Amino acid sequence: MSRLAAGVVLVTAREPGLDPDDANAPAGEDVGMTATAFLSVSLDPPLVMVSLREGSRMDDLLAEQPMWAVSVLSESQRHIAGRFAMKGRISDRLLFEDIPYARGAASGAPLIGGALSTLECRTEQTVTAGDHTLVIGRVLTASLPSAEGGPLLYFRGRYRQLG
């Protein structure tokens, strides 16, 4: 499959706080992961799908939290893709620290500044497929925050640019 070029996205979600009724309880944390297995499933209704490694933090979170977002990364955002794809990485809170983002109105998830497009989704269905979970989400909002640059691609084990 390394010979199949894929677009690169950042999937994000807001982990709920431990106790939303207690102002002193720890707040929820933003979570993010780089994905290349992302695609449009349907236009009517608007559905997309992302493939998550079973048991990953995002897989566990989206099993409980139905609201999530996707930022389609531009070729200038390779550093963001690499940061959220690291194994044994530092906490997600630190990963978001110096990245410009806006919080989605529908999902509460981070939408990355400078992305080619952003989507907010609500999980409609999940399907277990081998060692992955396919998460199908209904698109609630879509925007085009940046028209600059081309897409970030992943091909033969490396991030690449179109052209």
Side-chain angles (χ1 to χ4, degrees):
M1 295 306 294
S2 68
R3 302 278 177 151
L4 178 64
V8 181
V9 302
L10 186 67
V11 180
T12 57
R14 179 83 175 154
E15 184 176 53
L18 289 180
D19 185 355
D21 297 328
D22 181 359
N24 296 320
E29 192 172 63
D30 293 322
V31 177
M33 67 160 266
T34 302
T36 56
F38 174 77
L39 58 101
S40 172
V41 174
S42 168
L43 295 177
D44 188 19
L47 299 173
V48 294
M49 184 192 76
V50 64
S51 179
L52 307 175
R53 185 176 39 81
E54 192 175 84
S56 67
R57 183 162 185 206
M58 188 63 72
D59 182 44
D60 292 343
L61 176 56
L62 294 190
E64 297 178 17
Q65 162 63 283
M67 306 298 283
W68 45 284
V70 173
S71 298
V72 178
L73 300 180
S74 72
E75 59 196 6
S76 66
Q77 295 177 312
R78 177 185 304 219
H79 65 289
I80 295 173
R83 178 184 294 191
F84 284 89
M86 290 187 307
K87 291 184 181 359
R89 63 192 198 192
I90 58 176
S91 81
D92 284 73
R93 180 179 49 79
L94 295 174
L95 293 177
F96 281 103
E97 198 167 76
D98 62 347
I99 295 174
Y101 67 87
R103 195 157 302 284
S107 67
L111 303 171
I112 304 303
L116 294 179
S117 65
T118 59
L119 308 168
E120 291 183 271
C121 305
R122 181 184 64 238
T123 299
E124 292 275 311
Q125 181 180 0
T126 60
V127 177
T128 300
D131 61 357
H132 278 65
T133 303
L134 307 179
V135 180
I136 299 170
R138 180 180 294 258
V139 177
L140 304 174
T141 69
S143 65
L144 304 171
S146 177
E148 298 299 316
L152 181 61
L153 300 176
Y154 193 73
F155 179 68
R156 295 181 72 182
R158 292 183 37 213
Y159 295 116
R160 307 199 185 242
Q161 296 177 355
L162 196 60

